[in-house]
């Protein structure tokens, strides 16, 4: 599933030097965006940093993960003291 916000392109003319106060205002602007918008923007910047095509990301390397079946039993609570009330 592709995020819907990969339509934007980097406008290199929109950048300028900033003071720390101006950069802090940029942070405030990002905090007004929804969580989804912030994650999509971060993912897009990560793709740019690593040279990944957002329209054709590489497949997940499944050799790095393994699947194990979980048991339905809870683990024993050995070594944990019970709450004592007086």
């Amino acid at each position: 599933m592709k995020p819907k916000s990969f339509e934007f392109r980097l406008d290199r003319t929109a950048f300028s030097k900033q003071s720390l106060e101006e950069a802090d205002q940029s942070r405030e602007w990002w905090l007004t965006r929804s969580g989804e918008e912030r994650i999509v923007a971060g993912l897009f910047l990560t793709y740019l940093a690593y040279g990944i095509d957002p329209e054709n990301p590489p497949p997940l390397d499944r050799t790095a993960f393994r699947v194990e079946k979980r048991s339905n039993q809870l683990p024993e609570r050995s070594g944990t003291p019970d709450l004592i009330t007086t």
Side-chain angles (χ1 to χ4, degrees):
M1 181 174 135
K2 291 182 189 174
K4 62 179 178 180
S5 297
F6 276 141
E7 303 92 40
F8 59 88
R9 297 285 180 236
L10 184 62
D11 181 7
R12 296 184 189 277
T13 63
F15 295 98
S16 64
K17 292 182 182 179
Q18 293 182 349
S19 68
L20 292 176
E21 292 80 18
E22 291 169 330
D24 193 41
Q25 291 173 354
S26 174
R27 180 181 183 274
E28 295 298 323
W29 180 83
W30 275 107
L31 290 176
T32 63
R33 306 287 94 192
S34 71
E36 181 183 359
E37 284 180 287
R38 294 191 309 243
I39 289 173
V40 167
L43 183 60
F44 181 76
L45 292 174
T46 301
Y47 280 0
L48 284 178
Y50 287 100
I52 299 171
D53 179 15
E55 299 299 323
N56 189 18
L60 177 65
D61 180 10
R62 298 197 183 273
T63 62
F65 302 97
R66 70 171 186 237
V67 177
E68 294 181 4
K69 186 175 181 178
R70 294 179 73 184
S71 68
N72 291 333
Q73 296 178 344
L74 293 175
E76 294 292 324
R77 293 184 55 193
S78 62
T80 57
D82 292 330
L83 181 62
I84 301 173
T85 59
T86 57

